[in-house]
Every structure is written in C-alpha cells, then in structure tokens.
Amino acid sequence: MTHLHSFRAITRQLSRCCPRAVLLLALVIVGALFAPLAAIAQATPALAVAPNPNAPATQAQIADLKAAVTAAQSAGDNAWMLTSAALVLMMTGPGLALFYGGLVRRKNVLGTMMQSFAMMGIVTITWAVVSYSLAFGHGSSFIGGFEHVFLKGVDLAPNPDYGATVPHQTYMVYQLMFAIITPALIGGAFAERMKFSAMALFFILWSLFVYDPMAHMVWGTGGLLNAALGGKIPCLDFAGGTVVHVTSGVSSLVAALYIGKRIGYPKTAMPPHSLVISFIGACLLWVGWFGFNAGSAVAASSLATSAFVATHFAAAAAAVSWSVAEWIHNGKPTALGAISGAVAGLVVITPASGFVKPIPALALGLIAGAFCFFMVIKVKSIFGYDDSLDAFGVHGAGGTIGALLTGVFATSAINPILGKDAQGNPLPIGGMDGNWHQILNQATGVAIAWGLSIVGTLVILFVVDKTIGLRLSPEDENEGLDLSQHGEEGYDFNK
C-alpha cells in the first residue's frame, strides 16, 4: 500500500506540473503490457503457414534447382576456359617471345620477338575470317567447311560438339590461342635469317594449309583422327601433340633445310645473348602450359585436375632428366639445358595429359628429357642442319615420341573417351589398358602429321621464295634483323 500511495502522489504531482508527462507515462506502460501479445499474434500466422519440410518438391522447384546448378556449372567452366585462353596467349607473348629472343644474338632480339608478336595479330584476323571455320566447321574428314566464315553462327550459346557448358565464342577464342603459338614455334628453326615479309606470308599460308586441316582431322567434328567425334582412325591427342608440336616441329626441320645455314654456321660461335631472358620465358611457358593442357578439358572438372598434375610432373621430370644427361655428357648441368628439358617435358606430355595418371606422366618426362637431349646434341650434329633454336629437336621429336607413348600409357580410368561396352564398362584406350592397337592409331596420326607438314611446308616455302624471296641478303643478315627489318635496336648502350 505504501508503494501505491507513493505512485499516486507522484502522478498527482506530475498532473499538476505537466499533464503531458502523465499521458506519455501511461502510453509507455500500456505499450509494455501489450508488446508481448502483439509479438505472439505476429508470429502465429507465420507458424501456421510454414512449409512442411517433408513435403515433396514441386516440378517448378526441381526445374529451378536444375537451372541454378546448370548456371553455376556454366559460370565455373566459362571462368576456367577464359583463364586458360589467357594463359595460352601468355605462352606466345611474353613466354615464347622471351624464350626465343634470349637465345639469339643481340642484333636479332627484336626481330625474333616480333615473329611471335606478329602472330598474335595476323592469326587472329585469319582465324576470324576463315580459319576457325576450316578447322572446326562441318566438312569432310580432312577439312572443315565455310559455315563459320567471319564467325557466322559463333555466338554466346554453347556448341554441344565442343563445349556443352561454355559459350561457343569461348571455345573459339581458346582454340585461337593454339593457332597463334603453333606457327610462331617454327620461327625458332630459321631464326636470324628470314625476311619479316616472307615470314608473315609463310605463316599465313602455313596456318591455312597445314594447321587448319590438321586441327580439323584431330579435333573437328567428323575429322579423320577425332577419337571423340566420329573419326575413322581414333587418334588420342588431348592438347596438341600432333596438331601443334609435330606439325610445327617437322615444318621447322623442312624450313631449316630449305633456307640453309646462317652465315658462319657452324664455325662461328653464336651463343645466346641473354639466358636470363630465356629463363624467364621458359618459366612463363611452364605456367602457361597449364592453360594449354588442363584447359583442353573444356571444363573446370576432375579431368582438368588430372591434366594439370600430369603436365607439371612431366615438366619437372624432364628438366631433371635433361640436366642429368647433360651433366654426364659435359660434366656440368646448365641453365639452358634445364629450361630446354622442361619445355621438352611439356611438349611430350601434351597429347597424353588428359589420358595418363601421375606416375606415367613422370615416366614420360624422364624419357622426354633424355630423348630430346640426344636429338639436339647428337642427331643435329651428325646431320649438320641449322635448326637455330632446336625447334625440331624439342617440338618435332618430342611431339612424335609423346604421341606414340600416349598410345602406351593412356587409360580409360582417367578419360573413357572411346565409350563403353555392352555391359557399361569403359573401353580400353591404351596399351596398358589392353588396347595395344591404339599404338598403330597413334602412329597413323603421327605419319599424317609428318606427311602434311613436309609436303605443305615445302610447297609454301617454294611459293614464297619465288614470289617475294625468303632469305635476308648477306648484308642484312650481318647487320641483324633488328636494324635491317625494323630499323631499331633492342639495346642502345650509347645512352
């Protein structure tokens, strides 16, 4: 009662002093009393209409879930493929440009780097106009048609033949990066002695008449050697052993023989002017090669992981293998030998990267380093050809042995590319799987790549030679590519 009298005394005092304060206090008290009731009333309808977690999903909900999963997969795959395309472009510039640029004499550094950079511009144009269509359009077993001329029909919708979860344009631009680096590799064979104009014309014609048909036969729909899309001779080439390395490497040998030796070769010493530059270029090639090989899965998938691991293991093993062979042969391992071995390992694993387990990848790398060292050190000196930067010894020989060994080590446990039998079991794809016939398929693919490269390159060289001429004049060759072809120097030591 004492508290009640006190409360009434306070309210009477407040009512005399400030009626509004009394009203406000009353409202606060009423609100405090009714707030819990309001909260309960608000929550009750929600509880009444809460969905039953055990109720079956509707067709609309299932469709929405499938659409969300598809969109997420497409976004992930597309991100990986665009990243891979950028990595492959990095292989040409700066990777190959620096690697080759450091291996030539100082007076030829810019001219040699320009050969790689020029392909980034020239091949992009020819690819958009006609080459993509010839390589990946529908046509015969040997060459595509003209359905995608000027990129007609190459839009943002997926092409199920090549990449069901990425835009067609993504696949197109990814393959463009392969088309850019392949002719640029040939430049290592005739470095320091071909005119820039002749180089540009030769590479345009070579891309059209050698690269495009080979790419179609191995990767294009209905191509003769396509193991996944109806080829009559299923040749396993995951990322370009025959398409990229055999064609460029064999063409390199043909070009070196046709053009002839550099002035003074082999009596005059022609050491690399900057192994530091070449070292950086080789490391960029190694990193970029993950896009080259793992990107060929055309998805951010477990197959991409397998190709990534195989690529790294083979490169590492080949770098060690070449270095050991050189150590035994010369008494010292060199930086040039180590980086050359790494590139050889990357070349050899390219066709096999999406078909082999990690330990066979190591074995391929060990074989690659020793074999390519032998080709560069022994075979080249025996026959005396001037393959300036060993494009044939590494890419031609390495690509050939890699393609053949793919037929030995490939396994359906990594990539069941040939389908399944009547019982639903994956068909064996390589010799270690029990399919030794695959080695014959691989040899057939290699033979076709060799034949097309030899004949096509000879004809193109002859045409270019008889029209605008291939080789620098003796005066221009002595002066160097930088000044004679571009009017500038890579290094100015007077400033």
Side-chain angles (χ1 to χ4, degrees), residues 175-397:
Q175 288 295 339
L176 165 61
M177 305 313 172
F178 284 67
I180 287 172
I181 195 172
T182 306
L185 293 170
I186 305 173
F190 54 70
E192 304 189 309
R193 59 195 188 276
M194 183 184 280
K195 295 191 299 184
F196 184 79
S197 58
M199 178 277 302
L201 180 58
F202 169 70
F203 280 162
I204 290 172
L205 296 175
W206 189 90
S207 295
L208 292 170
F209 295 105
V210 177
Y211 182 84
D212 291 350
M214 196 67 208
H216 179 78
M217 281 188 277
V218 175
W219 293 329
T221 300
L224 178 67
L225 304 173
N226 194 318
L229 296 173
K232 296 178 181 178
I233 305 171
C235 179
L236 303 177
D237 188 351
F238 190 71
T242 53
V243 179
V244 175
H245 299 296
V246 173
T247 58
S248 65
V250 173
S251 296
S252 296
L253 179 62
V254 173
L257 293 172
Y258 187 97
I259 296 171
K261 302 173 183 178
R262 289 167 289 179
I263 296 174
Y265 182 88
K267 295 180 179 180
T268 302
M270 301 177 183
H273 89 280
S274 177
L275 283 177
V276 172
I277 291 178
S278 295
F279 204 99
I280 296 170
C283 292
L284 288 169
L285 284 170
W286 190 330
V287 174
W289 226 288
F290 293 125
F292 202 81
N293 288 357
S296 292
V298 198
S301 61
S302 58
L303 182 58
T305 298
S306 180
F308 194 109
V309 171
T311 299
H312 183 70
F313 279 27
V320 172
S321 178
W322 185 303
S323 296
V324 170
E326 187 178 45
W327 205 337
I328 295 171
H329 186 267
N330 298 331
K332 295 179 181 178
T334 66
L336 176 57
I339 61 177
S340 298
V343 173
L346 292 165
V347 169
V348 170
I349 197 61
T350 292
S353 56
F355 303 112
V356 300
K357 295 180 179 180
I359 301 306
L362 279 176
L364 283 167
L366 293 173
I367 294 169
F371 178 74
C372 291
F373 173 81
F374 174 77
M375 292 298 298
V376 168
I377 300 302
K378 290 295 184 181
V379 174
K380 180 180 173 181
S381 62
I382 291 172
F383 291 97
Y385 54 86
D386 185 12
D387 178 7
S388 308
L389 309 182
D390 297 314
F392 172 71
V394 173
H395 297 277

Side-chain angles (χ1 to χ4, degrees), residues 105-123:
R105 289 169 287 180
R106 189 178 68 206
K107 62 183 179 180
N108 296 310
V109 57
L110 286 180
T112 300
M113 295 177 81
M114 270 293 289
Q115 291 176 357
S116 294
F117 192 80
M119 292 304 96
M120 294 167 66
I122 293 172
V123 173

